[in-house]
């Protein structure tokens, strides 16, 4: 984890201070991509769980998020709620953040969605979360009888277990 410290600015004898910003950095070359077929189109995406700590103590609450990197040229109308397996862990519901970010991975543009939550190991020893299934709804413009129409296309993604 990295933290950008607060910044202070003095304006007319009054001091304003920003909040610190904490963030994590990870190596993008470690991301495993998966292929999804939509008709004849092959879509490369990445979906995975990311935890702040790989070896939690029993009952310890740790931040966890499900990350999705999906091609920027596909218009996603709805980022679904994931359905996932869990073994000896508890986790709050994973809901997507309201903002979708952008990322360049391996020279390609991606939409970056984050589903944050809190995870706790229910016992000592090996525990797991996932695999997860996430259903996205993409919008596709097609030529119909009365001009352009929009079709909703369900896309089923999978994130590996952690």
């Amino acid at each position: 984890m990295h933290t950008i410290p607060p910044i202070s600015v003095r304006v007319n004898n009054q001091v304003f201070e920003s909040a610190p910003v904490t963030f994590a950095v990870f190596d993008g070359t470690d991301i495993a991509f998966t292929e999804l077929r939509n008709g004849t189109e092959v879509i490369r995406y990445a979906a995975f769980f990311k935890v702040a700590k790989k070896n939690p103590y029993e009952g310890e609450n740790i931040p966890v998020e499900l990350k999705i990197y999906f091609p920027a040229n596909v218009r996603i109308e709805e980022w679904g709620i994931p359905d996932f397996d869990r073994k000896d862990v508890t986790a709050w519901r994973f809901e997507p953040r309201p903002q979708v970010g952008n990322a360049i991975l391996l020279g390609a543009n991606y939409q970056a969605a984050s589903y944050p939550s809190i995870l706790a190991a229910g016992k000592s020893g090996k525990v797991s979360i996932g695999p997860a299934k996430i259903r996205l709804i993409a919008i596709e413009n097609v030529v119909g009888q009365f001009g352009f129409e929009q079709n909703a296309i369900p896309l089923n993604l999978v994130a590996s277990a952690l």
Side-chain angles (χ1 to χ4, degrees), residues 51-119:
V51 291
K53 183 179 178 185
K54 293 271 185 179
N55 297 308
Y57 297 104
E58 183 176 338
E60 178 184 14
N61 292 328
I62 59 170
V64 61
E65 66 181 327
L66 176 61
K67 300 284 287 182
I68 298 175
Y69 292 99
F70 206 78
N73 65 335
V74 179
R75 185 174 144 208
I76 302 298
E77 183 71 19
E78 181 180 322
W79 298 84
I81 303 297
D83 179 29
F84 57 93
D85 294 337
R86 64 196 94 180
K87 183 178 180 238
D88 299 318
V89 296
T90 58
W92 290 99
R93 181 176 167 173
F94 287 76
E95 292 189 33
R97 287 191 176 141
Q99 309 107 322
V100 175
N102 296 304
I104 298 174
L105 300 172
L106 305 174
N109 293 320
Y110 287 87
Q111 303 168 69
S114 174
Y115 294 71
S117 187
I118 300 293
L119 176 86

Side-chain angles (χ1 to χ4, degrees), residues 12-155:
N12 296 332
N13 294 328
Q14 189 174 4
V15 177
F16 297 93
E17 186 171 286
S18 70
V21 177
T22 302
F23 59 95
V25 176
F26 60 93
D27 189 350
T29 59
D30 292 342
I31 298 173
F33 284 86
T34 305
E35 290 185 349
L36 169 72
R37 293 203 175 273
N38 180 25
T40 59
E41 182 182 15
V42 175
I43 301 170
R44 288 189 71 222
Y45 73 91
F48 55 93
F49 289 99
K50 191 82 175 150
V51 291
K53 183 179 178 185
K54 293 271 185 179
N55 297 308
Y57 297 104
E58 183 176 338
E60 178 184 14
N61 292 328
I62 59 170
V64 61
E65 66 181 327
L66 176 61
K67 300 284 287 182
I68 298 175
Y69 292 99
F70 206 78
N73 65 335
V74 179
R75 185 174 144 208
I76 302 298
E77 183 71 19
E78 181 180 322
W79 298 84
I81 303 297
D83 179 29
F84 57 93
D85 294 337
R86 64 196 94 180
K87 183 178 180 238
D88 299 318
V89 296
T90 58
W92 290 99
R93 181 176 167 173
F94 287 76
E95 292 189 33
R97 287 191 176 141
Q99 309 107 322
V100 175
N102 296 304
I104 298 174
L105 300 172
L106 305 174
N109 293 320
Y110 287 87
Q111 303 168 69
S114 174
Y115 294 71
S117 187
I118 300 293
L119 176 86
K123 70 171 187 107
S124 296
K126 191 170 186 165
V127 298
S128 66
I129 187 166
K133 298 173 189 159
I134 312 104
R135 184 177 174 174
L136 307 183
I137 302 294
I139 299 297
E140 181 179 65
N141 292 326
V142 295
V143 177
Q145 281 183 310
F146 306 106
F148 284 103
E149 298 174 357
Q150 292 184 339
N151 288 342
I153 310 292
L155 301 170

